Amino acid sequence: MRLSVILTRGCILAAFCSPAAQPDSRAHQHGVARLELLKQASDLHITLYATGMDLLGFEQQPQTASDRDTINKVSALLSAPDKLFQIEGAKCSPVTQQSNLTELPKKLLSAHSHKQADDHEHGHSTYSDIETTYHFSCSASHTPIQVQVQLFSLFPALLRIDTSWITEQGQSAARLTPAKPQLRLN
């Protein structure tokens, strides 16, 4: 069994998944994103993992003004959780959002410079994996929360989103597609 741990504002989420049942949640796979959710009391935490290719359309160091503009546009989208997720069953308001997207150009430049300086690669990845976390505060509700995920319409390169979640009632997982972009948290 594999242990995946999410540290989010002082709470720890541990989800156990059989490797045969689910691929590595951190694998760099184009067209596939990962969404992990934790609903605890009035807090809802969502973490999105996706490749740069799926969100930006490229993974290399931004070369043009158009590349930098794309990073700014995607960063603005990722900073607007109400455009990414429609939450039903409880009134949820965004509290915080963090993304490594603004750090990726520096990471890619550093990896590129290291490769050039050594004139060969030492296994350093120049892939751009984007991780964004969201924290929502939700009103008390005795009905299950449903999350409509808008990522497919905003990022057409996404073919599926593998999800897992934990609530006070239990844990589960689902695969989202453009035809089925909604989760019901038990």
Side-chain angles (χ1 to χ4, degrees):
M1 297 197 69
R2 178 178 52 82
L3 174 65
S4 173
V5 178
I6 300 172
L7 298 174
T8 312
R9 295 197 41 94
C11 63
I12 297 176
L13 162 66
F16 300 149
C17 300
S18 163
Q22 188 169 354
D24 182 5
S25 66
R26 309 293 181 199
H28 185 90
Q29 186 176 4
H30 294 175
V32 180
R34 179 97 188 115
L35 204 61
E36 296 176 349
L37 301 94
L38 169 65
K39 174 69 174 84
Q40 184 177 31
S42 64
D43 291 319
L44 174 63
H45 298 273
I46 300 176
T47 302
L48 167 67
Y49 304 94
T51 69
M53 184 61 75
D54 293 329
L55 300 188
L56 300 169
F58 60 89
E59 292 188 317
Q60 78 284 355
Q61 174 66 26
Q63 302 292 317
T64 66
S66 176
D67 289 348
R68 288 183 289 282
D69 188 47
T70 297
I71 289 174
N72 291 334
K73 286 178 181 176
V74 169
S75 183
L77 271 175
L78 293 178
S79 296
D82 57 322
K83 291 182 180 179
L84 305 176
F85 309 106
Q86 292 179 350
I87 302 169
E88 300 170 1
K91 182 172 171 52
C92 297
S93 302
V95 177
T96 61
Q97 176 271 332
Q98 293 180 309
S99 180
N100 70 341
L101 181 56
T102 56
E103 296 299 316
L104 284 179
K106 296 174 193 169
K107 175 187 166 199
L108 291 171
L109 182 59
S110 172
H112 182 70
S113 297
H114 180 74
K115 181 180 174 185
Q116 282 183 335
D118 288 349
D119 199 31
H120 64 282
E121 223 174 303
H122 292 284
H124 296 286
S125 172
T126 57
Y127 292 125
S128 57
D129 292 318
I130 299 168
E131 178 179 338
T132 307
T133 60
Y134 303 91
H135 173 213
F136 296 87
S137 178
C138 302
S139 63
S141 174
H142 298 290
T143 62
I145 290 181
Q146 295 187 54
V147 180
Q148 182 78 24
V149 179
Q150 306 294 325
L151 296 165
F152 294 109
S153 62
L154 298 169
F155 304 104
L158 285 176
L159 304 175
R160 77 173 200 243
I161 301 172
D162 293 329
T163 68
S164 60
W165 62 89
I166 294 178
T167 68
E168 292 92 350
Q169 288 75 35
Q171 63 185 29
S172 193
R175 176 166 288 165
L176 302 181
T177 64
K180 185 189 174 284
Q182 186 167 335
L183 291 174
R184 181 180 168 138
L185 305 182
N186 51 350

